[in-house]
Amino acid sequence: MKPVRWWAICWFVGVLALVTVGAAGLVAAQQSAEYKVGVVTSLSGELAFGGNVTKRGYDLWADTLNKAGGILIGGKRYKVRLIYADDQSTPATAAVAGERLITQEKVDFILGPYASGTTLALAPITEKYRVPHITGSAESPLIWKGKFKYTFGTIPTVTIIAQASIQTLAQDVTPKPQTLAILGIDDAFSKFAAEAFRTAAQRFGIKVLRFDIVPEGSDYTPAVSAAKALNPDIFAMGSHEKAAIEMIKAAKELKFNPKAFVQHYGMTTPDFRKGLGKDAEYVFGTSVWTPNLNYQAKILFKTPREYAAAFKARFGSDPDYTEAASTAAGIAFQEALRAINAAPPLTQAQKDALIGALERLDLMTFYGPIRFATSGDYYHDNAGLQPIALQYQGGVTVEVGPGKLRLKAPKYPTPPWDKR
């Protein structure tokens, strides 16, 4: 028997220790790996109200998913980490912010901005770097007509949604309104909301007396005064919530009291209620989601009511459809990642495969079905949801139509300012 050489034993033990430590480190690295999710949205500037709407929706997705352990890929769970970039409510900053997230933060995919203008600026950047991008908010049809391969959206275009309140007023109240005046803001979302009101009015036989598009941030009093002079039955505002608040305040100041105020998006947000107080009462708006819908799901939140309860527990307010759609955008990514079995960090081939998985997605969620169009004018938009007309009644929004979607009768006409 040969004598044991102590130097050989020490060498073997040392190598074993290094291998063990290295393997443990590798396992630890694999277990601690996470998806880096870039988020571009408006956290300051004119659209900060809405930017925080998207942030609440994205945050609730990430928090809930991570508490559940993360996304299950190949028998392991991977958490997500949101990395925010403030677009400061401007398209140019949105593009810069997106490029920084991609080139410096090396994010795996991106959750997109609140506004359509900033989304239209970000989409060419995600296209250039071939990074998947879903917006949980933007509604301009220009996004989908651009046919960006790497950009998707969970909310139908405003040209589909915004008509529901006009349809309800045309079909579900007596006497039917006969005339309408429209004031819209000149941005990629708001002017299409205004166009949708005009299209719906023409479709349902309501005469359009005036159609104005004005710059954002301007003094809206002259345009509101011009509408008042024509005494329309309906005054429709194509705008985000901040401009709508200012228009309604101008109307009250001018004692302009049409039979219905109509706004598309913004009237469901806490800031709209806070900004107008009791003057938000009777305002009509539209949505594609409310907690009262009967969807049944198996991913993160089983029903709209369960989602609403979790949201209120987290943020102290009721969710609106943009918050729900932003959470649903995260769910779309997580299910597409599971479908292609892609663990982080994603390679370029996996990012490209993720696009195909998103195109094939056919999900039922608490928000409703998610199926992205793969051709036509709504390319990569989740365009199949049912628009719902809402109205403020008793300090909350209620579903008033159209038709069978009504849970409460619409209140029409709106009482005079001094009798509310």
Side-chain angles (χ1 to χ4, degrees):
M1 181 177 179
K2 294 182 179 179
V4 175
R5 296 180 184 275
W6 288 104
W7 66 266
I9 293 174
C10 291
W11 176 83
F12 176 76
V13 171
V15 169
L16 181 61
L18 287 172
V19 169
T20 302
V21 170
L26 179 60
V27 170
Q30 288 176 336
Q31 290 178 337
S32 65
E34 59 188 4
Y35 296 99
K36 296 177 71 174
V37 186
V39 186
V40 179
T41 198
S42 304
L43 302 177
S44 64
E46 182 78 12
L47 302 174
F49 285 169
N52 281 289
V53 168
T54 57
K55 185 177 187 302
R56 288 191 288 271
Y58 294 146
D59 285 349
L60 187 57
W61 165 67
D63 292 350
T64 307
L65 176 65
N66 287 339
K67 284 180 182 174
I71 304 173
L72 184 62
I73 302 288
K76 296 178 182 177
R77 290 193 176 275
Y78 298 90
K79 295 187 176 182
V80 298
R81 178 161 62 95
L82 304 187
I83 303 172
Y84 276 91
D86 180 9
D87 64 30
Q88 300 174 14
S89 303
T90 69
T93 307
V96 172
E99 189 156 29
R100 182 181 64 77
L101 288 173
I102 294 168
T103 60
Q104 298 181 27
E105 298 289 350
K106 309 293 184 185
V107 297
D108 294 302
F109 49 90
I110 287 181
L111 292 167
Y114 164 67
S116 295
T118 46
T119 302
L120 281 164
L122 177 62
I125 301 301
T126 56
E127 201 79 357
K128 174 183 175 182
Y129 291 101
R130 297 164 57 197
V131 174
H133 159 214
I134 304 179
T135 168
S137 174
E139 299 180 28
S140 173
L142 295 177
I143 301 167
W144 318 118
K145 289 180 179 178
K147 295 198 167 29
F148 296 105
K149 179 179 177 181
Y150 290 85
T151 295
F152 295 76
T154 49
I155 297 181
T157 171
V158 62
T159 51
I160 295 175
I161 305 174
Q163 297 190 36
S165 51
I166 301 297
Q167 179 181 352
T168 295
L169 285 164
Q171 296 181 332
D172 299 338
V173 305
T174 302
K176 172 185 172 181
Q178 299 297 313
T179 58
L180 170 145
I182 301 167
L183 176 56
I185 301 298
D186 189 11
D187 66 46
F189 161 76
S190 302
K191 61 185 177 184
F192 283 101
E195 287 287 357
F197 293 143
R198 178 158 63 180
T199 299
Q202 293 168 343
R203 177 182 167 199
F204 294 106
I206 298 173
K207 186 177 181 180
V208 178
L209 299 178
R210 189 176 179 92
F211 183 91
D212 287 317
I213 299 294
V214 300
E216 185 174 27
S218 59
D219 179 1
Y220 306 126
T221 303
V224 174
S225 181
K228 178 191 175 186
L230 297 172
N231 193 29
D233 291 334
I234 302 171
F235 179 56
M237 298 161 282
S239 67
H240 292 96
E241 62 279 356
K242 188 171 185 294
I245 290 169
E246 293 174 9
M247 291 177 192
I248 292 175
K249 286 182 175 179
K252 184 177 182 181
E253 184 71 23
L254 293 166
K255 297 183 172 56
F256 172 34
N257 195 80
K259 295 174 181 174
F261 285 94
V262 172
Q263 202 256 351
H264 167 49
Y265 180 70
M267 57 86 69
T268 55
T269 65
D271 293 308
F272 186 85
R273 293 192 292 271
K274 183 178 178 182
L276 284 174
K278 63 182 180 60
D279 292 339
E281 196 72 2
Y282 304 103
V283 173
F284 286 84
T286 48
S287 177
V288 291
W289 180 89
T290 76
N292 294 320
L293 292 170
N294 293 318
Y295 297 130
Q296 297 289 325
K298 297 180 179 178
I299 308 164
L300 289 190
F301 307 98
K302 293 178 182 176
T303 63
R305 287 189 181 279
E306 181 179 309
Y307 175 79
F311 189 96
K312 192 157 189 174
R314 174 76 164 77
F315 300 108
S317 60
D318 296 319
D320 76 355
Y321 78 86
T322 295
E323 284 153 334
S326 296
T327 300
I331 291 175
F333 266 134
Q334 79 180 59
E335 293 306 298
L337 287 164
R338 284 194 334 111
I340 61 172
N341 207 35
L346 300 187
T347 65
Q348 186 56 56
Q350 288 173 318
K351 291 174 184 174
D352 290 337
L354 189 56
I355 297 302
L358 288 169
E359 289 182 335
R360 293 188 296 274
L361 216 55
D362 188 357
L363 288 179
M364 176 53 75
T365 72
F366 77 93
Y367 170 69
I370 297 179
R371 287 187 290 272
F372 298 113
T374 55
S375 62
D377 286 346
Y378 306 134
Y379 179 75
H380 281 183
D381 187 18
N382 184 38
L385 300 177
Q386 172 68 55
I388 305 164
L390 305 175
Q391 187 184 27
Y392 263 106
Q393 295 185 11
V396 297
T397 55
V398 296
E399 297 92 325
V400 294
K404 294 179 180 178
L405 295 175
R406 170 200 292 192
L407 295 183
K408 286 193 173 183
K411 290 188 176 180
Y412 178 90
T414 300
W417 288 108
D418 59 357
K419 294 183 178 179
R420 296 188 183 186

